[in-house]
Amino acid sequence: LVECDVSDDRNVKDLFDNVSKQCEIVDIIVHSIAFANRENLVGRFIDTERDGFRVALDISAYSLISIARHGTPLMTNGGSVLTMSFQAAERVFPGYNIMSTAKAALENEVKQLASDLGPDNVRVNAISAGPLDTLSSRVITGYRDMKKSHAERAPLRRNITPEEVANTALFLLSGMSSGITGEVVHVDTGYNIMGI
């Protein structure tokens, strides 16, 4: 394990300098980082202050750019970068507030980075998972109701499991998905396709 504060590019560079001393080649990078000040996850989105906005976007979205910039030079045989998103990038989830904006930025970065890194045979994708019991999901106002509604309305009539997200991650990180880049793959038992 190597500690890394993604809010400082020097720390990200140091991380990959340390990795390069142990591994000549990196095949995969998983970006699963998000943070917002607690006060920006309650109340109205319009009350988000500039500093809280900056912190959430820096840690939750910009960090993918920094990690890709410093990590992908070690992907000399090509590779796969994966990040984690959520449907709040596309829709309003009261209480998720600034994290929705950060996830929207993150999903756009996936496309931009896929374009930049494609010539190096590095693929960049995201998983947009349905409701899972995590520290982040617990701050969403009405999360339990959302989970119940999801199970009732999704075509598969249930919620997802952590194993289903993990299996999709393994697929996207493997050579089996060699023709897929710039995608946001929904792992949500089909909920995202429904109009209700």
Side-chain angles (χ1 to χ4, degrees), residues 43-119:
R44 300 185 323 153
F45 175 74
I46 198 168
D47 296 324
T48 304
E49 295 187 8
R50 187 176 303 273
D51 192 52
F53 185 97
R54 183 193 56 74
V55 166
L57 271 284
D58 182 30
I59 303 299
S60 307
Y62 183 81
S63 61
L64 176 62
I65 298 169
S66 181
I67 287 169
R69 179 186 314 117
H70 295 290
T72 57
L74 298 174
M75 294 181 149
T76 54
N77 289 336
S80 183
V81 178
L82 180 67
T83 190
M84 301 302 295
S85 190
F86 175 55
Q87 193 178 25
E90 306 166 34
R91 299 205 165 80
V92 174
F93 284 77
Y96 206 61
N97 293 359
I98 190 58
M99 286 307 301
S100 294
T101 304
K103 292 299 188 185
L106 188 70
E107 288 189 10
N108 185 269
E109 287 172 24
V110 165
K111 296 170 179 61
Q112 301 272 3
L113 291 170
S115 176
D116 282 355
L117 298 171

Side-chain angles (χ1 to χ4, degrees), residues 13 17-18 34 58 72 86 96 119 131-132 141 146 154 163 190 193:
K13 181 183 182 308
D17 286 347
N18 284 329
D58 182 30
T72 57
F86 175 55
Y96 206 61
L132 280 174
T141 304
M146 177 183 78
E163 291 78 17
I193 68 168

Side-chain angles (χ1 to χ4, degrees), residues 93-171:
F93 284 77
Y96 206 61
N97 293 359
I98 190 58
M99 286 307 301
S100 294
T101 304
K103 292 299 188 185
L106 188 70
E107 288 189 10
N108 185 269
E109 287 172 24
V110 165
K111 296 170 179 61
Q112 301 272 3
L113 291 170
S115 176
D116 282 355
L117 298 171
D120 300 322
N121 196 31
V122 174
R123 297 175 296 109
V124 184
N125 293 292
I127 292 175
S128 180
L132 280 174
D133 295 335
T134 66
L135 289 174
S136 300
S137 65
R138 292 185 185 117
V139 302
I140 301 171
T141 304
Y143 171 71
R144 288 186 181 159
D145 293 334
M146 177 183 78
K147 215 175 147 180
K148 182 178 183 283
S149 176
H150 180 105
E152 291 170 351
R153 295 178 179 164
L156 294 179
R157 299 296 190 266
R158 63 177 177 79
N159 286 298
I160 62 167
T161 67
E163 291 78 17
E164 289 170 321
V165 176
N167 288 339
T168 304
L170 288 171
F171 166 71

